[in-house]
Amino acid sequence: MPRTFLIDTDTASDDAVALIMALRAPDVRVAAITTVAGNVPVEQATRNALYTVELCGSSVPVFMGASQPLVRKYEDATWFHGKDGLGDHNYSPPRQSPQKQHGVDAIIETIEANPGLVFVTLGPLTNVALALA
């Protein structure tokens, strides 16, 4: 029986690799992907997650979450990952759009619907903090 993952990510190149590994793992079912501002702004992290899902031929829903940290000024890492977070290779825009539901609400609902799931956190924990609150 596959393990169920919920992945929260600030999808730059390192997280894209982790997403590919999870999406292609035969013993993992990714129930949802939520994004958060971190290495890149949340809009770009969401675009990158959608692109990665499509690259893997998957239909996992992607939910956009928090755009700012809770108690400090937001600082990205585009100086390292490139403006698009994926090395500025000008990848095609994704065809699908993020889900309308906020990422924090998606986290709560996905956890409630999937007892025993593995919650994989790859970026800042802002969405996690908001879900716990």
Side-chain angles (χ1 to χ4, degrees):
M1 184 169 184
R3 295 172 290 161
T4 301
F5 281 15
L6 164 60
I7 302 174
D8 188 65
T9 175
D10 62 344
T11 330
S13 52
D14 53 339
D15 291 6
V17 171
L19 287 175
I20 291 167
M21 292 172 66
L23 291 167
R24 293 206 169 154
D27 62 337
V28 171
R29 179 182 74 85
V30 179
I33 297 169
T34 56
T35 60
V36 64
N39 287 325
V40 293
V42 72
E43 296 82 8
Q44 186 65 52
T46 304
R47 178 182 166 147
N48 294 348
L50 289 165
Y51 173 80
T52 305
V53 166
E54 288 180 8
L55 179 71
C56 291
S58 179
S59 59
V60 172
V62 176
F63 301 86
M64 189 180 320
S67 62
Q68 297 288 323
L70 297 178
V71 296
R72 67 170 174 81
K73 181 179 175 259
Y74 170 67
E75 294 182 30
D76 62 42
T78 56
W79 58 270
F80 183 81
H81 291 283
K83 282 189 169 194
D84 70 357
L86 299 176
D88 294 327
H89 291 284
N90 298 313
Y91 293 114
S92 302
R95 291 180 300 281
Q96 55 183 328
S97 299
Q99 303 296 306
K100 302 260 185 260
Q101 184 179 36
H102 192 276
V104 172
D105 296 323
I107 287 171
I108 294 166
E109 287 187 15
T110 304
I111 289 171
E112 288 175 348
N114 296 278
L117 99 160
V118 177
F119 192 1
V120 180
T121 55
L122 302 176
L125 300 176
T126 312
N127 288 337
V128 176
L130 290 169
L132 288 171

